[in-house]
Amino acid sequence: MHQINPQAHPNPDDFNLKDTSPKLGERWPNGGVRGGGGGWMSGDRITSTYDLVEQMYYLYVRVVKAKDLPTNPITGSCDPYSEVKLGNYKGITRHFENKINPEWNQVFAFSKDRIQSSVLEVFVRDKDMVGRDDYMGKVMFDMNEVPTRVPPDSPLAPQWYRLEDRRGEGKVRGEIMLAVWMGTQADEAFPEAWHSDAASIHGEGIFNIRSKVYVSPKLWYLRVNVIEAQDVQPNDKARVPESFVKAQVGNQLLRTKLCQTRTTNPLWNEDLVFVVAEPFEEQLVLTVEDRVHQSKEEVLGRINLPLNLFEKRMDHRPVHTRWFNLEKFGFGALEGDKRKELKFSSRIHLRVCLEGGYHVLDESTMYISDQRPTARQLWKQPIGVLEVGILSAQNLLPMKNKDGRGTTDAYCVAKYGQKWVRTRTIIDSISPKWNEQYTWEVYDPCTVITLGVFDNCHLGGNGSVRDTRIGKVRIRLSTLETYRIYTHSYPLLVLQPSGVKKTGEVQLAVRFTCLSFANMMYLYSHPLLPKMHYLHPFTVNQLDSLRHQAMNIVAVRLGRAEPPLRKEVVEYMLDVDSHMWSMRRSKANFFRIMSLLSGIISISRWFDDVCHWKNPITSVLVHILFLILIWYPELILPTVFLYMFLIGIWNYRFRPRHPPHMDTRLSWAEAVHPDEMDEEFDTFPTSKTHDLVRMRYDRLRSVAGRIQTVVGDMATQGERFHNLLSWRDPRATSLFVVFCLFAAVLLYVTPFRALAFFIGLYMLRHPRFRSKMPSVPSNYFKRLPARTDSML
């Protein structure tokens, strides 16, 4: 079990951030500098100047429509489509059946770096289902004559062009409306355009490569307070029901406890909490059930309630209760005509509301990117703006095989607050360049933006495969200096059963701009989450369950977008498996605690060295400081704060120069045992053999035994302290009581300054006056009883 992973000692520099010098803002208007005095807010919109990315030029061709196209003399019909050709690249519009005035309104973008022709040709052809497509005409453009358009210029107006014959020597029947211009990735047409870089992608795959912005669904907590029911009639009239209530919203199912007494008017008064999302598509389904015996439950009544029926509350004010009639369930419910004749019905008493004062957690509080309550009325003004330029990636590993060679089709996803962004997919490249810039409003600086790089596996329309994780980056905004542009290359690290692996690097440009410095500093005195989380908190188990449900809802809703943001992507970005057991993570957390305690241990060692006069000069100085503080006790607190001030000023020289990133040593991922890593990647429940599970279970028992011993030792010390005055050991307690009496008398008659003087000199005494035996107080404390004697 002491074998070391052969990949445990890679070059540590590979896992560090690297400074980069991208050409940001070059060739952009005004050199990428904002105009108008650097103002950030334009009305309610945040303005962005695309100065955090390198400029990329594209030739844009907008094919709007055509008119008066000739029909085929043989078939008498016209099935037109347009073909845009530039060198070896060719983009084709959709075709229309039997239409001489088609409207395409499609945009084609050709990267300037790959243009190898001086002539742009736009053909109009008639699609032939059997033979070769018929030529109808073309328009040619000289690349040197194409105008340049830079936003915020208005879009270029399309023009009508007469179609020319095959040799370009004369006009033919028909006209086509086009707009041709040279622009950048800041152009409005860029996201929806067909790109020459992805010319090999057809069909549904085209929708999966475009850049998109997604918004998380608006989540609410639905609180259902089940109070009581009346006149609950069991199917067997001879018995009194043992009833409980099941509540279901979508795939979330909760149940109350059994009523304490058997009665036809049961009382529960329990809160059941669900996560729901706007628009409210599900209903609240309540059923009152009778537990006939351990394995059998009978439904006595049910009711379906639309979620729009319930009021939304912003604080903890009481909500009005309502009675609802339950529908009969079973054979009687099938007789629809007779139900109207029933004068009598069971009823259920509920208090239901949609909680708008909570923030619905769909991510770990460790990496929270948003802390605003659900209700928009409770939102504060933004305190800043976060801009991220997703520049490029380098040295990505091949993620799949295509035509016998390794390839990667990479895209990047960023998540902050309710806004998700997805860059376009760069086809077949291990060093893709995206150069896309995105902006977020910031409401709290103590939040984290998460960026993940993925390999697109849905370009061929295969819905059964999953997009592959390449790596993830987290940046905490509070670690960034305001107004500074951070340009770093972040290593992409993933854990695999073989160990930690670097899959490439992603280059980012990040800027955090403060809108109100006073508001931002004021936030540091506020709790992280809305006040309802503290006034009426949820239990730990409730929070875990609700977070899991919220993640499922977000993944399902974003997976229904077009193009979808896949479930595996959303789950990876939200750390869906962070709660799973991991030996590696347990070790990492243990050593984190040890590193925190190391500071206290270092101070105690330093004090021990002072007491043992290891460095006489230091010991003399400590004696002098001690005597000054005894003589002038009012200087104690000022001296402590002055000392911490000086330490803080001294540490400013060594402050971090770049945002913190994934630390493989802190994560205990570099020297992890292969079997421990295999255990971390095992399914839940396990899919391994019995012998392997037995070995892992024994190892887990061993680790848990050590943790149990440490926790037991801590409990023992606390119980000994508690038993000083409990008379569990009468002799020990009587000794302590007598000592307390003498100490009280001594402290009353002796000046505190004199007492502190003698105690301090005793603790700082020279080693020749010390004994190697334990001290009397230590011996006495260790002899005190603890409750371990009473444990089995």
Side-chain angles (χ1 to χ4, degrees), residues 231-241 264 290 292 298 300 328-329 342 344 346:
D231 304 318
V232 176
Q233 300 298 322
N235 295 333
D236 181 4
K237 304 296 183 182
R239 64 185 298 276
V240 181
T264 56
D290 177 20
V292 180
E298 292 182 350
L300 305 182
K328 290 287 184 183
F329 190 84
L342 292 175
F344 173 81
S346 302

Side-chain angles (χ1 to χ4, degrees), residues 331-350:
F331 293 108
L334 300 178
E335 302 172 6
D337 296 334
K338 292 185 178 180
R339 276 189 298 176
K340 298 179 182 178
E341 301 172 7
L342 292 175
K343 303 292 175 88
F344 173 81
S345 174
S346 302
R347 299 196 305 166
I348 189 167
H349 196 192
L350 303 175

Side-chain angles (χ1 to χ4, degrees), residues 743-787:
V745 173
L746 183 65
L747 289 173
Y748 271 121
V749 300
T750 308
F752 179 77
R753 184 181 299 175
L755 195 66
F757 175 77
F758 286 113
I759 292 175
L761 287 182
Y762 177 77
M763 294 178 66
L764 294 170
R765 68 193 185 279
H766 198 273
R768 71 175 62 182
F769 303 115
R770 293 178 180 274
S771 170
K772 293 186 178 180
M773 298 299 291
S775 64
V776 173
S778 174
N779 293 334
Y780 171 79
F781 188 75
K782 289 179 180 177
R783 289 176 176 274
L784 287 168
R787 302 183 70 181

Side-chain angles (χ1 to χ4, degrees), residues 138-204:
K138 70 175 180 179
V139 179
M140 298 177 61
F141 295 90
D142 185 349
M143 290 296 296
N144 297 319
E145 302 296 328
V146 173
T148 299
R149 181 218 166 211
V150 178
D153 291 350
S154 297
L156 196 68
Q159 301 180 38
W160 286 106
Y161 294 89
R162 288 283 304 275
L163 295 177
E164 301 176 355
D165 62 11
R166 208 179 280 271
R167 297 181 180 178
E169 297 176 351
K171 305 295 182 182
V172 296
R173 181 183 169 187
E175 295 181 62
I176 186 170
M177 180 181 279
L178 302 170
V180 181
W181 72 96
M182 191 68 71
T184 65
Q185 73 266 40
D187 202 290
E188 294 89 342
F190 180 80
E192 299 296 331
W194 171 95
H195 285 269
S196 58
D197 299 342
S200 60
I201 305 300
H202 302 287
E204 292 296 322

Side-chain angles (χ1 to χ4, degrees), residues 493-512:
L493 307 175
V494 291
L495 275 173
Q496 296 180 345
S498 58
V500 65
K501 192 172 185 179
K502 180 179 177 181
T503 54
E505 298 176 359
V506 61
Q507 188 176 348
L508 304 174
V510 181
R511 175 171 54 207
F512 173 42

Side-chain angles (χ1 to χ4, degrees), residues 176 277 299 369 399 424 452 560 588 709 724 737:
I176 186 170
V299 179
S369 65
M399 292 291 150
R424 68 193 189 283
R560 286 163 50 184
T709 303
L724 281 171
V737 169

Side-chain angles (χ1 to χ4, degrees), residues 372-384:
R372 292 169 293 171
T374 299
R376 186 176 289 271
Q377 300 94 309
L378 301 178
W379 291 5
K380 307 294 185 183
Q381 289 296 315
I383 55 96

Side-chain angles (χ1 to χ4, degrees), residues 559-721:
R560 286 163 50 184
E562 186 60 44
L565 195 60
R566 310 267 170 195
K567 182 179 181 181
E568 61 269 21
V569 174
V570 176
E571 289 182 345
Y572 181 56
M573 297 288 287
L574 294 178
D575 293 288
V576 70
D577 54 357
S578 60
H579 66 287
M580 297 296 290
W581 159 259
S582 163
M583 182 74 76
R584 172 194 61 82
R585 199 177 287 126
S586 300
K587 284 182 181 177
N589 288 334
F590 173 77
F591 285 107
R592 284 172 63 197
I593 294 175
M594 293 304 297
S595 67
L596 291 176
L597 297 177
S598 64
I600 301 173
I601 295 171
S602 300
I603 293 174
S604 63
R605 286 177 179 171
W606 172 82
F607 186 74
D608 191 60
D609 291 344
V610 169
C611 294
H612 286 83
W613 291 72
K614 295 288 180 67
N615 188 336
I617 297 176
T618 303
S619 297
V620 170
L621 291 175
V622 170
H623 275 78
I624 294 172
L625 177 63
F626 170 71
L627 293 174
I628 292 173
L629 295 178
I630 287 297
W631 201 256
Y632 301 104
E634 64 273 10
L635 296 180
I636 293 176
L637 282 178
T639 303
V640 170
F641 284 107
L642 178 64
Y643 185 60
M644 289 192 291
F645 168 77
L646 294 175
I647 291 176
I649 295 298
W650 177 261
N651 288 341
Y652 181 76
R653 299 171 54 199
F654 311 106
R655 68 191 186 279
R657 301 292 180 176
H658 53 74
H661 186 54
M662 313 291 184
D663 190 333
T664 53
R665 292 184 179 178
L666 179 66
S667 306
W668 210 248
E670 293 185 11
V672 65
H673 190 275
D675 184 69
E676 293 176 2
M677 192 62 72
D678 183 60
E679 179 185 23
E680 185 169 344
F681 281 87
D682 191 9
T683 58
F684 185 84
T686 183
S687 57
K688 301 296 181 181
T689 61
H690 291 294
D691 291 340
L692 186 59
V693 173
R694 182 188 297 274
M695 184 274 292
R696 289 177 177 173
Y697 175 63
D698 290 339
R699 180 177 62 195
L700 185 59
R701 291 173 66 192
S702 174
V703 173
R706 294 180 213 163
I707 296 173
Q708 170 185 296
T709 303
V710 173
V711 173
D713 288 344
M714 295 172 63
T716 297
Q717 306 308 321
E719 288 168 356
R720 282 173 177 168
F721 186 79

